[in-house]
Amino acid sequence: MTAATTLTALPLASAFNLRDFGGHRTRDGRQVRTGMLYRSGTMALLTDADADALRALGIRAICDFRRPSERVEEPTSWHGDDVEYFCRDYSEHSGVLSEILRSDRATPADMHDAMVRVYCAIATDHADAYRAMFAQMLSGRLPILINCAAGKDRTGVGAVLILWALGVPREAILEDYLATNEHADWTWRLAQTESRLTRALRDRADVVAPILRADAAYLEALFDTLDHQHGGIDAYLAQVLGVDADARAALQDALLTS
């Protein structure tokens, strides 16, 4: 068990999958600082006390990976004007859980395959957002919080890219990704609002399960796609996101301790 596994949970009453993803050891023996990198699902349900606790963390940037309709339905409003808030308007489908539930005849295998396809497309579909995420950090806007609706897919890949750039081993990155299965309380989350996903969970829980789960096969699809399309994650970082060796060194100086 890594340090991050024991430090991630934040004691907030109405947060969903909100955690610190620092604490991991890097391949050269350094450690990712805690209190600098946060990841979350929707933050529209936060209590006033939760919002106060988040503001007390000193977060300076938020990268919200959600689509416009998601942001309208569940706005992020806890932060002040001193926090740099990034979002973008787009129409790609990757990461939109409810849109995968189109066929009433879908099987669990169908849904698993659909999620694999999401992870094959996500690095391309959201390259602009990930580029902005790194730009925020490189401009000194730390601590940073990245989020989407579930804090699992779009956010999960963002966290993968950050941890990889910092030199965290792949096994620890997978562990951080899979921690969603411990931290995301879907029973509580789906009880807060009535939605297509809520109804599907009641009627077809086995079919919905692959959508709600962080699965090592999904992350494997991401890495395989980056290997085939870009020559690996290092090349993707440098050539697509502009995170070259100098940028990675700057991030490591800011976010690693010896």
Side-chain angles (χ1 to χ4, degrees), residues 39-234:
R39 52 181 294 175
S40 182
T42 180
M43 293 178 285
L45 303 171
L46 296 176
T47 64
D48 290 342
D50 288 343
D52 289 341
L54 272 184
R55 285 190 286 269
L57 295 175
I59 291 167
R60 298 188 62 205
I62 297 171
C63 285
D64 188 339
F65 301 139
R66 296 176 300 164
R67 299 189 342 157
S69 60
E70 296 174 283
R71 301 195 305 268
V72 169
E73 291 172 6
E74 296 190 334
T76 296
S77 58
W78 62 266
H79 58 91
D81 293 339
D82 56 328
V83 176
E84 185 74 20
Y85 177 78
F86 168 85
C87 61
R88 70 186 183 99
D89 295 344
Y90 67 93
S91 58
E92 291 91 342
H93 291 176
S94 59
V96 184
L97 303 180
S98 62
E99 290 191 4
I100 305 173
L101 286 171
R102 289 181 174 177
S103 173
D104 292 336
R105 294 175 294 179
T107 67
D110 292 334
M111 303 312 291
H112 182 273
D113 291 347
M115 289 302 300
V116 168
R117 290 194 297 273
V118 164
Y119 277 76
C120 289
I122 203 166
T124 297
D125 286 353
H126 296 283
D128 288 344
Y130 298 140
R131 193 178 301 113
M133 174 186 73
F134 278 108
Q136 292 279 25
M137 293 188 289
L138 289 166
S139 68
R141 304 293 296 187
L142 292 165
I144 190 172
L145 184 151
I146 61 176
N147 80 283
C148 57
K152 176 176 75 74
D153 304 316
R154 291 163 288 186
T155 296
V157 172
V160 165
L161 296 170
I162 292 172
L163 294 176
W164 187 276
L166 293 175
V168 174
R170 183 163 168 168
E171 295 79 6
I173 291 174
L174 175 61
E175 181 182 347
D176 183 87
Y177 169 75
L178 293 176
T180 279
N181 295 329
E182 302 173 20
H183 291 286
D185 184 349
W186 282 105
T187 301
W188 173 84
R189 170 67 186 90
L190 294 175
Q192 306 308 305
T193 55
E194 181 72 12
S195 67
R196 186 176 184 181
L197 191 61
T198 307
R199 294 188 293 273
L201 185 62
R202 286 197 299 263
D203 299 338
R204 299 182 294 158
D206 60 333
V207 175
V208 174
I211 298 175
L212 307 184
R213 184 173 61 243
D215 191 316
Y218 304 161
L219 215 56
E220 192 66 27
L222 169 74
F223 279 104
D224 286 348
T225 300
L226 292 176
D227 286 344
H228 295 149
Q229 295 185 359
H230 300 282
I233 189 171
D234 292 315

